[in-house]
Amino acid sequence: MPEHSKKWMDETTLRVMTYKSGSFTFQLGLDLNQIQAMLDRVNDSQKRFNKTPSLPLIIDQIQDKVLASSIYSTNTIEGGQFTEQETANILKQDPKTIQKSEERRLTNLKESIDWVKQSSSKSLAPINGKPFELSTIFKLHTLVSQNLVEQHNPAGELRNNQPTQKTIVGNDIHGGTYRPPKCIEDIEYLIQAWVEWLNSPNIINQPVIIRACLAHYYFELIHPFWDGNGRTGRLIEMFILEQSGYRFSSSAIWKYYQVHIHEYFALFNQCRKQAEKKEDHPNQLFIEFVLEGMFETIEYLHDESNKLIGFLLYQTALNNAKFSKEISDRQFNLIHILMRAIGENNKHFSKAELYRIPQIHALYSGKVERTFYRDIDKLMELEFLSEQEGLVVLGN
């Protein structure tokens, strides 16, 4: 049996020889010049997002929205069946009351994200990353896998395939299948080499996004655990990004992965095959995919933040109008019923449809119908409401 060995081929490339799984190469595999412009756009967008006013209401609402979306997305990638709204509802429950494994996976992910955020930085540092500890892998896998009644997946324990056990990653739909290293001696050695590579001087000082997504990529190729590798790999990527100030986008990008799930899975195989053929820049496509996802994600976060700021200003103006008696209590309550109706039904209503909503109809009990229409007209005159294509909307 050959001995384990490793050799630095150049400043950023580490070649590892395993007992039974052949050679394994950790490399940048990219042309930085080709992606520099996109990298700059992502970092500029993140820098602007980090300057969003730190109002508790805005931060709390963004955090809740991103948390539910991120957990829904990473769980769906791994075959979860809950909708995003169902996910949000489960996350509001006391974890101690949850019995089903399918629901525990969600609360485990929430606990994992909370743990990652303990290492978050508020200041964006796009280069000069921080050391990554081997223990972080086992901590994250334990958090992801704890208290699940799944066979052959001990929390925090590396995979050790017996001769009759096969581990196959991927499928033909997503670019083919791959058999990762299977004996624990190879997996242990590769994981240690992976951490050594991540923390080497010429990798730790690479742009943080590149280091984070390559950490994710190579972790998935090693596939060290029986189950939970996808969730753990995305959390590792998040951990590295959070250490350097990529607030919210670090996990919000999971939505991009889920929406583009075919490309996400296919690129793991495509880049792996390009590396096997010793092609130039084999990891380029995966890195470009992640950068595009980060930019789209951060721009989305900008939009959501602006909406929340706009809504906060709207609420302040509405409260001031009520306090100064520019609008009546009934008109104030009408707007709040309208807000709830739009949120619950995810649609806008015509004036006639609004009047038939039970809560609004009750608000005008004992009043003639034209009182309702006069209130609507008054609120439109004050620009708290407007009409677009026959539907009543908030604001002008």
Side-chain angles (χ1 to χ4, degrees), residues 256-270:
Y256 183 85
Y257 295 160
Q258 185 253 325
V259 170
H260 300 87
I261 189 168
H262 174 76
E263 187 176 1
Y264 174 64
F265 283 139
L267 282 170
F268 280 100
N269 275 301
Q270 188 174 349

Side-chain angles (χ1 to χ4, degrees), residues 85 336-349 357-359:
Q85 187 57 57
H336 280 276
I337 294 171
L338 173 58
M339 287 178 185
R340 285 197 298 273
I342 292 172
E344 291 171 0
N345 295 277
N346 197 28
K347 58 171 285 191
H348 290 90
F349 303 85
I357 292 175
Q359 295 91 331

Side-chain angles (χ1 to χ4, degrees), residues 64-76:
D64 288 346
K65 190 177 184 70
V66 169
L67 180 69
S69 175
S70 299
I71 291 175
Y72 159 76
S73 298
T74 197
N75 190 54
T76 301

Side-chain angles (χ1 to χ4, degrees), residues 116 119-121 123-125 208-213 234-247 249-251 253-254 257 290 294:
V116 167
S119 300
S120 297
S121 171
S123 301
L124 183 64
V208 169
I209 296 177
I210 291 173
R211 180 169 173 256
C213 75
R234 288 185 287 277
L235 283 162
I236 288 169
E237 180 183 77
M238 176 190 179
F239 184 90
I240 294 171
L241 290 171
E242 283 284 335
Q243 281 185 316
S244 293
Y246 289 87
R247 301 173 62 205
S249 60
S250 61
S251 67
I253 191 175
W254 299 346
Y257 295 160
V290 173
M294 284 291 285

